[in-house]
C-alpha cells in the first residue's frame, strides 16, 4: 500500500486523540447509529437474507478458489470488447501504468470516481509527481481532497466532518482547484451539494481522461460494475475520451447472474437502500466504440494485486478477500465509533481494515502489528457482514502471527516470520500465567497470597496495569478463593 | 442429577461469591454439584491474545478435569463460548502441527457437555422461575460472548423477570459491547474506557440500583468504573440474584 500511512503510531495511540475529541465522537455516533438502524430494517425486509448471505459467500469463495481461471477469462472478455488489460503486481507498477496511460493521451487532468484501489496505491500523489492533476468527483471524496485530508470511512469518507467544516473547506479551497464556491455560501446541505455540483460539472465537461474503480467485474462478459448514489460516477464513466479502471483482482465474479445476489445485499448493507440509485455497467467500448462521442474511445483495465495473492495463500485470512466494501462492519463497530477511521492508518478502516491491512501490507510496521488487537472480539461485525466474513476468527489468527510469528506468504514466497517487536514481556506473562494455571497447587497458593494482601490493594497499578487503574477501580480481592470455600463447606463430601 | 461446576479462574480468584451462589442455587434445584479441584482456566486469555500454543495445556487440563461428568456448568458465557466455539479449532490445529496427542478426542468429548448457567437452567432443568427473591430494580447487560457467541437470547432476562420482587428495566443499547474484551482493556485503554463509560451512562440512566450481567470479566470492568465514579449502582452477577431467597436474601 501507499507510503501515506507509513510511520503511523500504533492503533492505541492513534485512537487516543479521537477518543478525547467529543465533537468527533458525537458526529460518528450519530452517523453510525442512524445508518446501522436503517440497515437492520432494510435487511429485515428480506425473508431470504440468510440465504443471500450464504450465496454471496459461496460465489466469492468459489471465485477465489479459481481466481487464476476467472481473471484470464475476464481478460479475454474485456479484450474482445475492445478494452486493454494491464496487470499490476504492486502499487508502484499500477501507478506507473496509469501515469503512462494518462501521459500518452497528452492531457494533464483526470476526473476520478469510486476507487479505493487508487487510494490504496496512492495514485493521486503519483499523478501529481508526473504533473497530472487528479480531481475526485464523489462528493465526500471531494471534501476530503479539498480539505487536504484522508478518508475515514469506506462509504462516507468525510464522515468525520460536519457541515460547518465542509462549508469552510469549500470556501477556502474550491477556487484553487477550479470553479470557486459561490459568494455567501451557507452550510445547508442543499446549498453545499449545489456548490459541489457546479464545481464538478465544469470538471466533467473539461476532462478527457477518467479514472475509476469498480464494485464487480464479470468474467464471462467483461462487464465492469459501479454502484453509486450521486450519479457523478456515471458522468465520470461516460464523458471522458479515455477511461482507466483500477480494480483489485478479488472483485471478479464468474457470471452476470451472480450480480443478482450482490445487487440485493450490497445496497441494503451499505446505505440501507433497497437499491442503489445508480448502477452503471460498461463492457469494453460497447458497440459504438466511442463513435459520435458516445462513451470513451479507449478503455484500460488495470488489475491490481498488491498483496492479494499473498493473502489468498492464507487459508484463514483469505476470507477477507470476500469483502464487497459495504461498510456495514464499520457502522456497527463500537471501537470504530470511538477511535474514528484515521486511527486505522489505511484507506480500509474499521473491522475489515483491521484484518485486511495487516495482510496486504504485512505486520512489519507498528500500526499493522497493532491492528489485529483493535477489537474486543464482540462479534457485531461478523453478524452484519453480507458475505459472512468471520472477522473475529481472522483477528485472532493475525494476533497469533504478531505474537508468535509463523509462516506467511510474501511476494509469492513462503517465509516464516518472527514475532513482532515489543511482545517479549507479554509473552513471558502469558507463559507465566499458563504455568501457574496449569498447577492448581501453585494457583491456590497465589490466590491465598492475594487474599492476604487484600488490604494493600493499590488504587493505581504500575506498568501495563496502570492502563486499567487510570479509569477503573480494581476488583476487591475476596477473603478466600472459591476453592477454599468449597474445601471447607463441601469438601468432605467430594 | 449430577453436574460439575466449572467456576472459571476469574471467579475462583476474585468472585468466589458467584461460585458459591451457583452451588446454592443448583443444590436448591436438586442438582448434585461437584467441584473438580484439578480445574483452573479455559485458556481464553492466551488464545485471544495470540498465544494459541500456550492455551493447549489448559485445554487438556480442563477437559481432563471434567471427564466423566454428564453436565459441566459455568457462570460465564465467555468461557462457555471458548470451549464450544474455539476448542475444536485449537485441538484440530494442534493435531495438524504435531502436538495433539489425543487433544481433539478429549476436547470433542467435553464440548457438548458444557453449559452456560442460564442455558443449563432453562434448557436442561427446564425452569425459568427458580424461586428467587430480590426486591430491587435491575438492568441487564448481555455480554457479547453470551449474546453472539452462544446465542443465549432472552434466557437471562426470562430468569430475571421470574424473580419475586425484582423490577427489570431495559438497558438502552444493551447489545453493544462494554469494552472489556480481555486484554483489549489494557491494550487499548482509552477506547475501552470510553466504551465502558458510555455503557455505565446508559445503565445509570435507567435508574436501576443493580447492573446485572452473566460474566464477571465484563462486570469487573463496569463495576470498576462504577466504583471509580462513586455511583450508588452495584454490579452483580446473575447467579447471585438467582441464589437470593426470602429465607436467605442477598445482602
Ligand atoms: S467485511 Fe463484510 S461488512 Fe465489512 S465492509 Fe466487507 S463486506 Fe461489508
Amino acid at each position: 500500500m501507499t507510503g501515506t500511512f507509513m510511520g503511523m503510531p500504533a492503533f492505541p495511540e492513534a485512537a487516543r486523540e479521537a477518543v478525547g475529541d467529543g465533537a468527533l465522537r458525537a458526529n460518528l455516533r450519530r452517523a453510525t447509529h442512524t445508518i446501522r438502524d436503517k440497515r437492520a430494517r432494510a435487511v429485515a425486509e428480506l425473508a431470504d437474507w440468510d440465504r443471500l448471505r450464504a450465496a454471496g459467500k459461496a460465489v466469492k469463495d468459489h471465485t477465489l478458489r479459481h481466481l487464476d481461471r476467472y481473471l484470464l477469462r475476464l481478460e479475454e472478455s474485456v479484450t474482445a470488447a475492445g478494452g486493454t488489460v494491464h496487470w499490476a503486481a504492486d502499487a508502484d507498477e499500477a501507478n506507473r501504468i496509469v501515469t503512462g496511460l494518462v501521459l500518452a493521451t497528452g492531457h494533464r487532468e483526470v476526473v476520478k470516481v469510486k476507487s479505493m484501489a487508487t487510494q490504496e496505491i496512492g495514485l493521486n500523489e503519483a499523478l501529481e509527481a508526473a504533473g497530472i492533476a487528479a480531481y475526485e468527483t464523489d462528493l465526500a471524496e471531494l471534501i476530503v481532497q479539498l480539505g487536504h485530508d484522508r478518508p475515514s470511512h469506506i462509504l462516507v469518507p468525510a464522515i468525520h466532518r460536519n457541515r460547518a467544516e465542509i462549508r469552510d473547506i469549500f470556501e477556502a479551497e474550491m477556487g484553487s482547484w477550479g470553479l470557486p464556491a459561490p459568494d455567501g455560501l451557507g452550510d445547508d446541505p442543499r446549498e453545499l451539494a449545489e456548490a459541489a455540483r457546479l464545481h464538478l460539472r465544469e470538471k466533467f465537461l473539461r476532462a478527457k481522461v477518467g479514472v475509476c474503480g469498480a464494485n464487480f467485474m464479470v468474467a464471462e462478459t467483461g462487464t465492469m460494475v459501479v454502484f453509486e448514489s450521486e450519479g457523478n460516477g456515471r458522468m465520470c464513466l461516460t464523458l471522458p475520451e479515455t477511461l482507466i479502471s483500477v480494480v483489485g483482482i478479488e472483485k471478479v465474479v464468474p457470471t452476470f447472474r451472480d450480480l443478482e445476489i450482490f445487487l440485493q445485499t450490497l445496497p441494503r448493507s451499505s446505505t440501507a437502500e433497497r437499491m442503489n440509485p445508480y448502477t452503471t455497467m460498461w463492457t469494453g467500448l460497447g458497440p459504438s466504440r466511442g463513435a459520435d462521442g458516445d462513451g470513451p474511445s479507449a478503455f484500460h483495465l488495470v488489475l491490481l494485486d498488491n498483496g492479494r495473492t499473498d493473502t489468498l495463500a492464507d487459508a484463514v485470512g483469505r476470507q477477507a478477500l470476500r469483502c464487497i466494501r459495504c461498510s456495514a462492519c464499520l457502522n456497527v463497530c463500537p471501537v470504530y465509533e470511538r477511535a474514528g477511521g484515521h486511527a486505522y492508518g489505511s484507506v480500509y478502516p474499521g473491522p475489515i481494515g483491521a484484518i485486511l491491512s495487516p495482510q496486504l501490507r504485512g505486520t512489519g510496521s507498528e500500526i499493522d502489528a497493532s491492528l489485529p488487537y483493535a477489537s474486543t472480539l464482540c462479534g457485531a461485525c461478523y453478524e452484519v457482514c453480507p458475505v459472512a466474513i468471520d472477522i473475529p476468527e481472522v483477528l485472532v489468527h493475525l494476533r497469533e502471527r504478531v505474537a508468535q510469528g509463523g509462516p506467511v506468504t510474501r511476494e509469492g514466497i513462503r517465509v516464516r516470520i518472527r514475532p513482532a517487536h515489543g511482545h517479549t514481556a507479554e509473552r513471558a506473562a502469558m507463559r507465566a500465567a499458563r504455568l501457574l494455571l496449569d498447577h492448581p497447587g501453585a494457583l491456590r497458593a497465589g490466590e491465598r497470597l492475594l487474599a492476604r494482601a487484600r488490604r494493600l490493594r493499590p488504587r493505581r497499578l504500575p506498568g501495563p496495569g496502570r492502563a486499567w487503574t487510570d479509569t477503573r477501580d480494581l476488583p476487591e480481592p475476596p477473603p478466600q478463593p472459591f476453592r477454599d470455600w468449597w474445601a471447607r463447606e463441601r469438601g468432605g463430601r467430594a | 442429577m449430577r453436574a460439575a461446576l466449572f467456576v472459571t479462574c476469574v471467579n475462583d480468584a476474585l468472585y468466589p461469591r458467584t461460585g458459591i451462589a451457583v452451588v446454592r442455587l443448583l443444590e436448591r434445584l436438586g442438582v448434585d454439584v461437584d467441584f473438580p479441584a484439578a480445574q483452573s482456566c479455559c485458556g481464553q486469555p492466551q488464545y485471544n491474545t495470540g498465544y494459541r500454543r500456550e492455551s493447549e495445556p489448559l485445554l487438556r487440563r480442563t477437559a481432563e478435569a471434567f471427564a466423566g461428568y454428564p453436565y459441566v456448568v459455568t457462570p460465564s458465557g465467555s468461557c462457555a463460548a471458548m470451549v464450544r466455539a474455539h476448542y475444536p479449532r485449537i485441538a484440530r490445529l494442534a493435531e495438524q502441527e504435531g502436538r495433539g496427542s489425543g487433544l481433539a478426542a478429549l476436547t470433542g468429548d467435553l464440548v457438548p457437555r458444557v453449559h452456560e448457567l442460564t442455558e443449563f437452567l432453562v434448557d436442561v432443568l427446564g425452569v425459568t422461575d427458580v424461586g428467587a427473591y430480590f426486591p430491587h430494580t435491575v438492568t441487564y447487560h448481555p455480554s457479547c460472548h453470551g449474546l453472539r457467541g452462544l446465542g443465549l437470547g432472552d434466557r437471562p432476562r426470562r430468569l430475571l423477570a421470574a424473580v419475586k420482587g425484582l423490577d427489570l428495566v431495559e438497558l438502552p443499547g444493551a447489545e453493544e459491547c462494554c469494552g472489556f474484551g480481555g486484554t483489549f482493556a489494557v491494550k487499548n485503554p482509552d477506547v475501552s474506557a470510553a466504551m465502558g463509560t458510555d455503557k455505565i451512562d446508559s445503565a445509570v440512566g435507567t435508574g436501576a440500583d443493580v447492573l446485572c450481567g452473566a460474566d464477571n470479566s465484563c462486570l469487573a470492568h463496569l463495576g470498576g468504573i462504577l466504583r471509580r465514579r462513586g455511583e450508588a449502582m452495584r454490579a452483580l452477577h446473575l447467579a447471585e440474584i438467582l441464589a437470593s431467597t426470602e429465607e436467605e436474601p442477598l445482602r
Side-chain angles (χ1 to χ4, degrees), chain A residues 154 323-330 352 381 384-387 389 391:
Chain A
I154 290 179
C323 177
I324 56 173
R325 312 279 189 265
C326 72
S327 75
C329 58
L330 276 64
I352 181 62
C381 48
V384 297
C385 178
V387 283
I389 300 172
I391 295 176

Side-chain angles (χ1 to χ4, degrees), chain A residues 129-384:
Chain A
I132 301 163
Y135 301 117
E136 296 292 347
T137 65
D138 177 89
L139 180 54
E141 295 287 2
L142 175 72
I143 297 165
V144 168
Q145 187 176 40
L146 292 178
H148 310 281
D149 201 353
R150 284 185 284 121
S152 71
H153 189 276
I154 290 179
L155 206 79
V156 202
I159 197 169
H160 57 289
R161 296 288 198 186
N162 63 34
R163 284 192 278 146
E165 287 176 313
I166 294 168
R167 193 205 75 91
D168 294 347
I169 291 171
F170 279 8
E171 191 152 68
E173 298 287 339
M174 271 183 172
S176 47
W177 291 79
L179 194 70
D183 288 336
L185 178 67
D187 66 0
D188 178 64
R190 251 194 319 186
E191 257 183 273
L192 293 172
E194 185 57 24
R197 191 171 302 139
L198 290 172
H199 179 82
L200 289 173
R201 184 148 302 167
E202 191 234 0
K203 295 261 158 51
F204 286 133
L205 293 173
R206 207 172 62 200
K208 301 288 183 239
V209 184
V211 174
C212 69
N215 293 95
F216 299 96
M217 310 185 281
V218 181
E220 142 190 272
T221 55
T223 305
M224 315 287 297
V225 190
V226 157
F227 290 28
E228 50 146 353
S229 299
E230 296 166 4
N232 289 341
R234 184 161 291 182
M235 308 266 259
C236 220
L237 294 161
T238 49
L239 288 174
E241 289 166 4
T242 302
L243 179 61
I244 305 168
S245 301
V246 183
V247 191
I249 52 172
E250 82 282 17
K251 294 286 170 84
V252 67
V253 294
T255 70
F256 201 80
R257 229 193 125 160
D258 296 320
L259 295 176
E260 169 207 10
I261 302 162
F262 304 109
L263 274 162
Q264 297 179 76
T265 54
L266 180 52
R268 283 181 202 257
S269 297
S270 57
T271 48
E273 289 165 309
R274 294 181 178 126
M275 192 171 182
N276 45 294
Y278 296 87
T279 304
T280 307
M281 304 192 183
W282 66 106
T283 308
L285 289 171
S288 73
R289 309 231 149 191
D292 311 322
D294 179 11
S297 51
F299 169 61
H300 295 273
L301 170 61
V302 181
L303 290 170
L304 178 71
D305 186 318
N306 207 31
R308 284 163 174 78
T309 46
D310 288 342
T311 304
L312 193 60
D314 188 283
V316 178
R318 69 169 63 127
Q319 56 184 310
L321 297 177
R322 292 205 296 261
C323 177
I324 56 173
R325 312 279 189 265
C326 72
S327 75
C329 58
L330 276 64
N331 297 328
V332 296
C333 179
V335 175
Y336 173 86
E337 183 188 321
R338 272 84 182 182
H342 289 155
Y344 294 81
S346 151
V347 292
Y348 307 114
I352 181 62
I355 59 169
L356 199 55
S357 306
Q359 295 200 85
L360 295 181
R361 303 192 294 211
T363 47
S365 72
E366 252 200 79
I367 179 76
D368 288 318
S370 70
L371 285 176
Y373 294 96
S375 165
T376 62
L377 306 178
C378 79
C381 48
Y382 178 33
E383 197 174 58
V384 297

Side-chain angles (χ1 to χ4, degrees), chain A residues 16 33 338 373 376 378 399-400 426 434 437-438 447 460 469 472-474 478 482-483 490 493, chain B residues 12 27 33 37 39-40 48-49 51-52 54 61 148 176 185 187-188 190 192 198 221 224 228:
Chain A
R16 186 166 304 139
H33 281 251
R338 272 84 182 182
Y373 294 96
T376 62
C378 79
R399 287 178 185 189
E400 193 182 319
E426 180 184 276
R434 196 268 286 163
L437 292 165
D438 204 16
E447 285 171 349
R460 298 245 187 267
T469 52
R472 296 153 283 208
D473 277 5
L474 289 168
F482 174 82
R483 56 183 73 231
R490 301 285 194 277
R493 234 190 33 188
Chain B
D12 182 17
E27 287 179 348
V33 184
Q39 64 177 280
S40 69
N48 276 356
T49 313
Y51 299 86
R52 172 168 57 87
E54 291 293 342
R61 161 165 296 283
R148 282 178 282 265
E176 248 196 67
K187 277 182 178 278
N188 281 285
D190 298 285
S192 169
D198 288 349
H221 164 65
R228 178 62 57 92

